[in-house]
Amino acid sequence: MTTQAPLINQLGVVKRNIDRANAAARDQLGQFGTATIHEAMGRVGLMKPIMRPIYPGARACGTAVTVLLQPGDNWMMHVAAEQIQPGDIVVAAVTADCTDGFFGDLLATSFMARGAQGLVIDGGVRDVKDLSAMGFPVWSKAISSKGTIKATLGSVNIPVICAGALVNPGDVVVADDDGVVVVPASIAQQVADAAKKRENLEGEKREKLAAGVLGLDMYQMREPLAKAGLRYID
Amino acid sequence: MTTQAPLINQLGVVKRNIDRANAAARDQLGQFGTATIHEAMGRVGLMKPIMRPIYPGARACGTAVTVLLQPGDNWMMHVAAEQIQPGDIVVAAVTADCTDGFFGDLLATSFMARGAQGLVIDGGVRDVKDLSAMGFPVWSKAISSKGTIKATLGSVNIPVICAGALVNPGDVVVADDDGVVVVPASIAQQVADAAKKRENLEGEKREKLAAGVLGLDMYQMREPLAKAGLRYID
Amino acid sequence: MTTQAPLINQLGVVKRNIDRANAAARDQLGQFGTATIHEAMGRVGLMKPIMRPIYPGARACGTAVTVLLQPGDNWMMHVAAEQIQPGDIVVAAVTADCTDGFFGDLLATSFMARGAQGLVIDGGVRDVKDLSAMGFPVWSKAISSKGTIKATLGSVNIPVICAGALVNPGDVVVADDDGVVVVPASIAQQVADAAKKRENLEGEKREKLAAGVLGLDMYQMREPLAKAGLRYID
Amino acid sequence: MTTQAPLINQLGVVKRNIDRANAAARDQLGQFGTATIHEAMGRVGLMKPIMRPIYPGARACGTAVTVLLQPGDNWMMHVAAEQIQPGDIVVAAVTADCTDGFFGDLLATSFMARGAQGLVIDGGVRDVKDLSAMGFPVWSKAISSKGTIKATLGSVNIPVICAGALVNPGDVVVADDDGVVVVPASIAQQVADAAKKRENLEGEKREKLAAGVLGLDMYQMREPLAKAGLRYID
Amino acid sequence: MTTQAPLINQLGVVKRNIDRANAAARDQLGQFGTATIHEAMGRVGLMKPIMRPIYPGARACGTAVTVLLQPGDNWMMHVAAEQIQPGDIVVAAVTADCTDGFFGDLLATSFMARGAQGLVIDGGVRDVKDLSAMGFPVWSKAISSKGTIKATLGSVNIPVICAGALVNPGDVVVADDDGVVVVPASIAQQVADAAKKRENLEGEKREKLAAGVLGLDMYQMREPLAKAGLRYID
Amino acid sequence: MTTQAPLINQLGVVKRNIDRANAAARDQLGQFGTATIHEAMGRVGLMKPIMRPIYPGARACGTAVTVLLQPGDNWMMHVAAEQIQPGDIVVAAVTADCTDGFFGDLLATSFMARGAQGLVIDGGVRDVKDLSAMGFPVWSKAISSKGTIKATLGSVNIPVICAGALVNPGDVVVADDDGVVVVPASIAQQVADAAKKRENLEGEKREKLAAGVLGLDMYQMREPLAKAGLRYID
């Protein structure tokens, strides 16, 4: 458990070379749901449930390019675009609560041209109809037409807190209808393996439950429940 | 108006025999919208509007199997599964505000195998894409990947407060895009009849309004409005 | 900048003759998104992002017939119906925060028969499935089955504050998936022209960005960023 | 566990004779904090934490006179006043979310003259400076100058859901800086006894902890923690 | 009911000469509570209850100097300071939801030196301990240490929407523990008179209620209640 | 900018030896307000403004002992107590949103006996009257009587996200009426020096402003404002 780098002097910084998670591990993680992945990590790593996709069925998985924005200002989004590599996902945090529409179809066009898999932003987004038509998935805490300015520096590719989760540049970020999960780059393969194992088990369970077997029996819960004091009355 | 049973000692209890509302009345209620039903009851019986379906067009009607959960713990969901009979709907309350994903596709598979019509939960739900594909409707206050543990007893089939509404086991619960309404079992038929009457009247009104008749005239509001002091200016 | 008219005595008033924005300007505004329009106005005129359409892809543009409601009371909606002319959109404010379902399919039938383009309400709406099927778009801050009474006077066609925006009767109101924007009647054409200009520019930009040109270069941001102190590290 | 009485026909009802909890038990409960009482009941019975006192240090304990209000309407408060007996506390619910100021210094003067111990309201309150000066404690979810009308019937002394808790008329309601707890009348003495026992134990614990004994040792947690897998690292 | 002036071109404007409400009327209004004043206006004119004073017992009354801020930017506050005259109160709106601390003890020192009576801000404030010690009252929707920049133009002394209320420069704004009310300059005396009348009546009522007279009798409510269908049961 | 340590395997861990910030730097930081400190850091490092002190005037500064809790479970608080050294402040995060009362007067007694300066918790707290009387300051997002259980492992002294801010064990945490700020241990002295410098400047400014000098002149804003396009009208 290393000490986090100083936060001071972090505004106005763009880190160009980041350690991206292994691409194979990233792609494996992209096959699992966020619920499965966060369970495989020990029930940690999730962003807050306020983060919602802009259209049902949205899914994305990528290595994080992080952005720290100032409220009402999306200047750094343009700086971030240049740092995107195919397979990346952009994760944007804001230094204060702000629901402005920091991102729209023009930036999405640019991000897509750079190979971005999607955007996760702890703020607002606009042009959601266009974004949906383009198939560019976004998870945000608000949808808002409100435009932003380009006047104040934030940073690109520093560690950020997005919707309650720490994201380091290069981490794998997976997002679906259920939410957004962050997998540290250094354990991406380990988590992918654990998720695989977990999902295999779920297949068997699903069949049994569909056949009418009760979880009470399948998980052998009757004894611990009785021990905990559960009583049945009529 | 009877006195409510003691709340104490209510944790750790599973009531097996509950008085379900009459099935015919339940099925009749299932044909009406929640708005019509709550109006037929005198504009009472609704859960708070924070409760939303996980997909548009979701509809469910059933007799309530109730569950009281502890925050972050879904153990009682498995206990509840055994109490489900075809035509039931599960209504889950939590002893404190919690948006965790207490329910997902495995439990839904089990609930469906038991004949459940859906789930209403004053908490979070996950695997919403799978649930939508399965056609298992859920109304919740949050969607969240966050998993839960199985460590603390709650209860099954005791009276619960779910999203601001009292639900007794066996009550009819109807849910649609507009919200969730609870009809006490003892008056299910009475409410179904009142709803039927109300809906018949609405058909006539709709035709008139579509033809351009104003509500002002149809409902004879001009006189009471004038009496209340309404004045027209140019 | 004129002084706003007195608020006192404003309850119980229906203004019949209002100055509607020029129809041609209104129709031109209807072709732009809310984000484009509010940018064309200098990034002002938006309602709060809590206002959401009841179905994806909803769009409306009309001249405002305004309504001021009391909490839990929709009497004035019927009074407003008579004031609707084809091409109007109804904008409803409430004198206090209230999420009740002030509007449903019967009123929508009446509003449509009068030529209304949609409804924007700083409160709740119900029968959303029917409204969606009818293609009657509504923007609201809540969906709720909760019915209302008809007992207290509000007003029709007075200036109202709806979701944080001032709406004068006759103003152009445009609403889409991104939100709701209000264009004062007196500047409708001016804003339509500015929006047109803005959109033309966006077409060119989109092509360049799609071709891989960076916003950093297209907007010539590298120099101002460097001047502001942005530094690149490895 | 009795079945709850029908909700239909409950509007427009005033129940005059209610079974109040035993006065001695009520007074004993008044000596404990809400945290202690709800623990003594098995960690149930609390209203939601959105309910806050209008001044620090507010405390009240009484037998509940319940009121069901309509949004924006406080007519029933006056009806309730007549039903208050010395030692009662008024508990007001609203049929929909509403933050209006349903209660102010005039009603407080009347309630005090009748012997009321305080007010718990799932809505707004006003004149809080006067109420504080009068020493009339109120717990509410909002403070708002917004006045109400007197036009629609609610009820008095029916079971109500207030801030997520079921309150039957006659139940003991205790409120302090930490929140509001409801003790069913039938178990008031039982809960008072359990609370007493609990508080006695706390005195001893407090002394030990103040002397530097760790909870880890006092509660013998080290073994179960190790068994659960807790590991210490350097 | 005049048409509102165009919003376009409103950014970057400072209006120097504003029509302040009559000072005598303003001072009279300062003697009443916000609840009384808004009732005297017909139950309108209030800001949303989210606006809270930074310390209990805060009170202010002044003629409004208005400010429109951009999110995260307090540049216009300094521009506003110059426009303050003794007896004014500053009312600050923000073009988007933002809880940053736009105002602290330095600006308060400046505002006090200019004769300001207080600040009402639809955003955040900081240094609240110092402001309390200085006796400079502020009503805000948040308290936040978060600082702001000085980069983007807003306006001073244009009509603004603050916490849901329209405020024209020169209007009388009264604020106390219950909330904030706006009295249009043109009717300040009329409202002061109505408030005076209302308060006189309250004094009599208070005495009667304190003596045990019921509102039911004092307001002669028994007959209308019976007519509305209220029934008493035992 | 180091890579963050793996999150996996972080549950069930207690780190005993942590690198606490220099005590002298910590004590110097304790003399500044949170607003000053976060400005000195470049306007970063703040927790969200939802975090509020339980009594006005609360102040604390300490080196962080961090705790990661599970919703509804405060077991780790007892584990944390043992790790507290004089001059520490406890910072508690929860793996999901939960407002339960994780902390009360017994734990406070234990924490005080160990030398803790206060508690910052992204959850609820209870016994606030007692805590206020004891002078044990707490910043929380809720006050709630709701008790918790002791069943699931979290961790102590791992990096946590608390109310939107990253806190590493040993960081300096300063809290006052305005909020909570986190200063990474490695830059504590540097920030203390910058804060000192900043505060010195503020003293001079305050005097000038009190004497009636305008910020416009003191900060030489007139020229940049004019350049940005600000125009004065009458």
Side-chain angles (χ1 to χ4, degrees):
Chain A
M1 266 156 248
T2 65
T3 302
Q4 180 65 21
L7 285 172
I8 213 167
N9 293 331
Q10 280 202 339
L11 293 177
V13 173
V14 183
K15 190 160 163 54
R16 272 179 299 218
N17 299 328
I18 61 175
D19 293 326
R20 287 176 170 82
N22 176 275
R26 180 198 63 200
D27 293 346
Q28 288 167 41
L29 283 166
Q31 296 164 3
F32 304 108
T34 54
T36 299
I37 294 170
H38 117 283
E39 292 278 1
M41 289 174 71
R43 283 192 299 122
V44 294
L46 288 172
M47 292 191 187
K48 288 189 181 289
I50 187 99
M51 299 296 281
R52 300 299 303 144
I54 57 169
Y55 52 87
R59 262 198 73 77
C61 171
T63 33
V65 164
T66 65
V67 193
L68 183 61
L69 304 165
Q70 302 285 358
D73 193 307
N74 77 342
W75 211 8
M76 286 301 114
M77 284 298 209
H78 293 278
V79 177
E82 192 176 26
Q83 306 306 318
I84 297 171
Q85 294 185 4
D88 283 345
I89 188 169
V90 179
V91 176
V94 190
T95 60
D97 278 336
C98 185
T99 60
D100 284 3
F102 294 89
F103 185 87
D105 74 316
L106 285 182
L107 270 167
T109 301
S110 180
F111 279 26
M112 280 187 94
R114 306 289 298 180
Q117 304 299 303
L119 169 71
V120 173
I121 180 165
D122 197 356
V125 61
R126 61 187 192 174
D127 302 331
V128 296
K129 194 177 181 180
D130 294 331
L131 297 178
S132 302
M134 293 162 68
F136 188 83
V138 179
W139 285 257
S140 70
K141 71 173 182 186
I143 293 171
S144 169
S145 306
K146 182 66 166 62
T148 49
I149 59 167
K150 296 170 207 327
T152 314
L153 294 187
S155 289
V156 172
N157 281 336
I158 64 164
V160 297
I161 310 294
C162 181
L166 174 67
V167 185
N168 281 287
D171 285 350
V172 179
V173 172
V174 184
D176 60 16
D177 291 272
D178 290 345
V180 185
V181 68
V182 185
V183 182
S186 60
I187 57 167
Q189 187 61 56
Q190 189 181 348
V191 174
D193 293 345
K196 180 75 189 160
K197 204 170 295 175
R198 198 176 164 85
E199 195 159 271
N200 289 343
L201 290 173
E202 290 208 345
E204 290 173 39
K205 289 181 196 166
R206 197 174 289 109
E207 278 179 41
K208 284 190 191 168
L209 293 168
V213 177
L214 285 167
L216 286 177
D217 298 311
M218 192 173 76
Y219 299 110
Q220 296 178 295
M221 290 173 172
R222 292 192 192 273
E223 195 183 310
L225 282 165
K227 209 171 153 191
L230 189 70
R231 59 195 195 284
Y232 287 80
I233 62 173
D234 291 319
Chain B
M1 267 157 246
T2 66
T3 303
Q4 179 65 20
L7 286 171
I8 213 167
N9 292 332
Q10 280 203 339
L11 293 176
V13 173
V14 184
K15 189 160 165 53
R16 272 177 300 217
N17 299 327
I18 61 174
D19 293 325
R20 284 175 172 83
N22 176 274
R26 179 197 65 201
D27 293 348
Q28 288 167 40
L29 283 167
Q31 295 164 6
F32 304 109
T34 54
T36 299
I37 294 171
H38 117 284
E39 292 279 1
M41 289 174 72
R43 283 191 299 124
V44 295
L46 288 172
M47 291 190 187
K48 287 188 183 290
I50 187 100
M51 298 295 283
R52 299 298 304 144
I54 57 169
Y55 53 87
R59 263 198 71 78
C61 172
T63 33
V65 163
T66 65
V67 192
L68 183 62
L69 303 165
Q70 302 285 357
D73 193 307
N74 78 344
W75 212 8
M76 286 301 114
M77 284 298 209
H78 292 279
V79 178
E82 193 176 25
Q83 305 306 318
I84 296 172
Q85 294 184 4
D88 283 345
I89 189 170
V90 178
V91 177
V94 189
T95 61
D97 277 336
C98 185
T99 60
D100 285 4
F102 293 89
F103 185 88
D105 76 316
L106 285 183
L107 269 167
T109 300
S110 179
F111 279 26
M112 280 187 95
R114 306 289 299 180
Q117 304 300 302
L119 170 70
V120 173
I121 181 165
D122 197 357
V125 60
R126 61 187 192 175
D127 301 332
V128 295
K129 195 178 181 180
D130 294 332
L131 297 178
S132 302
M134 292 163 68
F136 189 82
V138 178
W139 285 256
S140 70
K141 72 173 181 187
I143 293 172
S144 170
S145 306
K146 183 65 167 62
T148 49
I149 58 167
K150 298 169 205 327
T152 315
L153 294 187
S155 289
V156 172
N157 281 336
I158 64 164
V160 296
I161 310 292
C162 181
L166 173 67
V167 185
N168 281 285
D171 285 351
V172 179
V173 172
V174 184
D176 60 16
D177 291 273
D178 289 344
V180 185
V181 68
V182 185
V183 182
S186 61
I187 56 166
Q189 187 61 57
Q190 189 181 346
V191 173
D193 293 345
K196 179 75 188 160
K197 205 170 294 174
R198 198 177 165 85
E199 195 158 272
N200 288 343
L201 289 173
E202 291 208 343
E204 289 172 40
K205 289 180 196 167
R206 198 174 288 109
E207 277 178 42
K208 283 190 192 169
L209 293 168
V213 177
L214 286 167
L216 285 177
D217 297 311
M218 193 173 77
Y219 299 109
Q220 296 178 293
M221 289 173 174
R222 292 192 192 271
E223 196 184 309
L225 282 165
K227 211 171 152 187
L230 189 70
R231 60 193 194 285
Y232 287 81
I233 62 173
D234 290 318
Chain C
M1 264 155 248
T2 67
T3 303
Q4 179 66 20
L7 286 173
I8 212 168
N9 293 330
Q10 280 203 339
L11 294 176
V13 172
V14 184
K15 191 162 162 51
R16 272 178 300 218
N17 299 326
I18 61 174
D19 292 326
R20 286 175 171 83
N22 176 274
R26 179 198 65 202
D27 293 347
Q28 287 167 40
L29 284 166
Q31 295 164 5
F32 304 109
T34 54
T36 299
I37 293 171
H38 118 282
E39 292 279 1
M41 290 174 70
R43 282 192 299 123
V44 294
L46 288 172
M47 293 191 186
K48 288 189 182 289
I50 188 98
M51 298 297 281
R52 299 299 304 145
I54 57 170
Y55 53 86
R59 262 198 72 78
C61 172
T63 32
V65 164
T66 65
V67 193
L68 183 61
L69 303 165
Q70 301 285 358
D73 194 307
N74 77 343
W75 211 9
M76 285 302 113
M77 284 298 210
H78 292 279
V79 177
E82 193 176 25
Q83 306 306 318
I84 297 171
Q85 294 185 5
D88 282 345
I89 188 169
V90 179
V91 176
V94 189
T95 61
D97 278 337
C98 184
T99 60
D100 285 5
F102 293 89
F103 185 87
D105 75 317
L106 285 183
L107 269 167
T109 301
S110 179
F111 278 26
M112 280 186 95
R114 306 289 298 180
Q117 304 300 302
L119 170 70
V120 173
I121 181 166
D122 196 357
V125 61
R126 61 187 193 174
D127 301 332
V128 295
K129 194 178 180 180
D130 294 332
L131 297 178
S132 301
M134 293 163 68
F136 188 83
V138 179
W139 286 256
S140 70
K141 72 172 180 188
I143 292 171
S144 169
S145 305
K146 182 66 166 61
T148 50
I149 58 167
K150 296 169 207 329
T152 314
L153 294 187
S155 289
V156 171
N157 281 336
I158 64 164
V160 297
I161 310 294
C162 181
L166 173 67
V167 185
N168 281 287
D171 286 351
V172 179
V173 172
V174 184
D176 60 16
D177 291 272
D178 289 345
V180 185
V181 69
V182 185
V183 182
S186 61
I187 56 167
Q189 186 61 56
Q190 188 182 347
V191 174
D193 293 345
K196 180 74 189 162
K197 204 170 295 176
R198 199 178 164 85
E199 196 159 272
N200 289 343
L201 290 173
E202 291 208 344
E204 290 172 40
K205 289 181 195 166
R206 198 174 289 109
E207 276 178 43
K208 283 191 191 167
L209 294 168
V213 177
L214 285 168
L216 285 177
D217 298 311
M218 193 174 76
Y219 299 110
Q220 296 178 293
M221 289 172 173
R222 293 192 191 272
E223 195 183 310
L225 282 165
K227 209 171 152 188
L230 190 69
R231 59 193 193 285
Y232 287 81
I233 61 175
D234 290 317
Chain D
M1 266 156 250
T2 66
T3 302
Q4 178 66 19
L7 284 172
I8 212 169
N9 292 333
Q10 280 202 340
L11 293 177
V13 173
V14 183
K15 191 161 163 50
R16 272 179 299 219
N17 299 327
I18 60 175
D19 292 327
R20 285 176 171 81
N22 176 274
R26 180 198 63 201
D27 293 347
Q28 288 167 42
L29 283 166
Q31 294 163 5
F32 304 108
T34 54
T36 299
I37 293 170
H38 116 283
E39 292 279 0
M41 289 174 72
R43 281 191 301 124
V44 294
L46 287 173
M47 291 191 187
K48 288 189 183 288
I50 187 97
M51 299 297 281
R52 299 299 304 143
I54 57 169
Y55 53 86
R59 264 198 70 80
C61 172
T63 34
V65 163
T66 65
V67 193
L68 183 62
L69 303 166
Q70 302 285 357
D73 193 308
N74 78 342
W75 212 7
M76 285 302 112
M77 284 298 209
H78 293 278
V79 178
E82 193 176 24
Q83 305 306 317
I84 297 170
Q85 293 184 7
D88 284 344
I89 187 169
V90 179
V91 176
V94 189
T95 61
D97 278 336
C98 185
T99 60
D100 285 2
F102 294 89
F103 185 87
D105 75 318
L106 285 183
L107 269 166
T109 302
S110 180
F111 279 27
M112 281 187 94
R114 306 289 298 180
Q117 304 300 302
L119 170 70
V120 173
I121 182 167
D122 195 356
V125 62
R126 60 187 193 174
D127 301 331
V128 296
K129 194 178 180 179
D130 294 331
L131 297 178
S132 303
M134 293 162 67
F136 188 85
V138 179
W139 286 256
S140 70
K141 72 172 179 188
I143 293 171
S144 170
S145 306
K146 183 67 168 60
T148 49
I149 58 167
K150 297 170 207 325
T152 314
L153 295 186
S155 288
V156 172
N157 281 336
I158 64 165
V160 296
I161 311 293
C162 182
L166 173 67
V167 184
N168 281 286
D171 286 350
V172 179
V173 172
V174 184
D176 60 16
D177 291 272
D178 290 345
V180 185
V181 69
V182 185
V183 182
S186 60
I187 56 167
Q189 187 61 57
Q190 187 180 347
V191 174
D193 294 346
K196 181 74 189 158
K197 204 170 296 176
R198 197 176 166 85
E199 196 159 271
N200 288 344
L201 290 172
E202 290 207 345
E204 292 173 39
K205 290 180 195 166
R206 196 173 289 110
E207 277 178 42
K208 283 191 190 168
L209 293 168
V213 177
L214 286 167
L216 285 176
D217 297 312
M218 192 174 77
Y219 299 109
Q220 295 178 295
M221 289 173 174
R222 294 191 190 272
E223 194 183 311
L225 281 165
K227 210 172 154 189
L230 190 70
R231 60 194 194 284
Y232 286 81
I233 62 175
D234 291 317
Chain E
M1 264 157 250
T2 66
T3 303
Q4 178 66 19
L7 285 172
I8 213 168
N9 292 332
Q10 279 202 339
L11 293 177
V13 173
V14 183
K15 192 162 162 48
R16 273 179 298 217
N17 299 328
I18 60 174
D19 292 327
R20 286 176 170 81
N22 175 275
R26 180 198 64 200
D27 292 347
Q28 288 167 42
L29 283 166
Q31 295 164 5
F32 304 108
T34 54
T36 299
I37 293 171
H38 117 283
E39 292 279 0
M41 289 173 71
R43 282 192 300 124
V44 294
L46 288 171
M47 291 191 187
K48 289 190 182 288
I50 187 99
M51 298 297 282
R52 300 297 306 142
I54 56 169
Y55 53 87
R59 262 197 72 78
C61 172
T63 32
V65 163
T66 65
V67 193
L68 183 62
L69 303 165
Q70 302 285 357
D73 193 307
N74 77 344
W75 211 7
M76 286 301 114
M77 285 298 212
H78 293 278
V79 178
E82 192 177 24
Q83 306 306 319
I84 297 171
Q85 294 184 6
D88 283 343
I89 187 169
V90 179
V91 176
V94 190
T95 62
D97 278 337
C98 184
T99 60
D100 285 3
F102 294 88
F103 184 88
D105 75 317
L106 285 182
L107 269 167
T109 301
S110 179
F111 278 27
M112 281 187 95
R114 307 288 299 179
Q117 303 299 303
L119 169 71
V120 173
I121 181 166
D122 196 357
V125 61
R126 59 187 193 175
D127 301 332
V128 296
K129 194 178 181 180
D130 294 330
L131 297 178
S132 302
M134 292 162 68
F136 188 83
V138 179
W139 286 257
S140 70
K141 72 173 182 188
I143 293 171
S144 169
S145 306
K146 182 64 166 63
T148 49
I149 58 167
K150 297 170 208 325
T152 315
L153 294 187
S155 288
V156 172
N157 281 336
I158 64 165
V160 296
I161 311 293
C162 181
L166 173 66
V167 185
N168 281 286
D171 285 350
V172 179
V173 172
V174 185
D176 60 16
D177 291 272
D178 290 346
V180 185
V181 69
V182 185
V183 182
S186 60
I187 56 167
Q189 187 60 58
Q190 189 181 346
V191 174
D193 293 344
K196 181 72 189 159
K197 204 169 297 175
R198 198 178 165 84
E199 196 159 271
N200 288 344
L201 289 172
E202 291 208 343
E204 292 173 38
K205 290 181 194 166
R206 197 174 289 110
E207 277 178 42
K208 284 191 191 169
L209 293 168
V213 177
L214 285 167
L216 285 178
D217 298 312
M218 193 173 77
Y219 299 110
Q220 296 178 294
M221 288 172 174
R222 293 194 192 271
E223 195 183 309
L225 281 166
K227 209 170 152 190
L230 189 70
R231 60 193 194 284
Y232 286 81
I233 61 175
D234 291 319
Chain F
M1 266 158 249
T2 66
T3 302
Q4 178 66 20
L7 286 171
I8 213 168
N9 293 331
Q10 280 202 339
L11 293 176
V13 173
V14 184
K15 189 160 165 53
R16 272 179 298 218
N17 299 327
I18 60 174
D19 293 327
R20 286 175 170 81
N22 176 273
R26 180 197 63 201
D27 293 346
Q28 289 167 40
L29 283 166
Q31 294 163 5
F32 304 109
T34 55
T36 299
I37 293 170
H38 116 283
E39 292 279 0
M41 289 173 72
R43 283 191 301 122
V44 295
L46 287 171
M47 293 193 186
K48 288 188 182 289
I50 187 98
M51 299 297 282
R52 299 299 304 145
I54 58 169
Y55 53 86
R59 263 199 72 79
C61 171
T63 32
V65 164
T66 65
V67 192
L68 183 62
L69 303 166
Q70 303 284 357
D73 193 307
N74 77 344
W75 211 7
M76 286 302 113
M77 285 297 211
H78 293 279
V79 177
E82 192 175 26
Q83 305 306 318
I84 297 170
Q85 294 184 7
D88 283 343
I89 187 169
V90 179
V91 177
V94 189
T95 61
D97 277 336
C98 185
T99 60
D100 285 3
F102 293 89
F103 185 87
D105 74 318
L106 285 183
L107 269 166
T109 301
S110 178
F111 279 26
M112 280 187 95
R114 305 289 299 180
Q117 304 299 303
L119 170 71
V120 173
I121 181 166
D122 196 357
V125 61
R126 59 187 194 176
D127 301 332
V128 295
K129 195 178 180 178
D130 294 331
L131 297 178
S132 303
M134 293 162 68
F136 188 84
V138 179
W139 286 257
S140 69
K141 71 173 182 189
I143 293 170
S144 169
S145 306
K146 182 65 166 62
T148 49
I149 58 168
K150 299 170 206 325
T152 315
L153 294 187
S155 289
V156 172
N157 281 335
I158 64 164
V160 296
I161 311 293
C162 181
L166 173 67
V167 185
N168 281 287
D171 285 349
V172 179
V173 172
V174 184
D176 60 16
D177 291 271
D178 289 345
V180 185
V181 68
V182 185
V183 183
S186 60
I187 56 167
Q189 187 61 57
Q190 188 180 347
V191 174
D193 294 345
K196 181 72 187 161
K197 204 169 298 177
R198 198 177 165 83
E199 196 160 88
N200 289 344
L201 290 173
E202 291 208 345
E204 291 173 39
K205 290 181 196 167
R206 197 173 289 108
E207 276 178 45
K208 284 190 191 168
L209 293 168
V213 177
L214 286 166
L216 286 177
D217 297 312
M218 192 173 78
Y219 299 109
Q220 295 177 296
M221 289 173 173
R222 293 193 192 270
E223 194 183 311
L225 282 165
K227 208 171 154 190
L230 189 69
R231 61 194 192 284
Y232 287 80
I233 61 175
D234 290 318

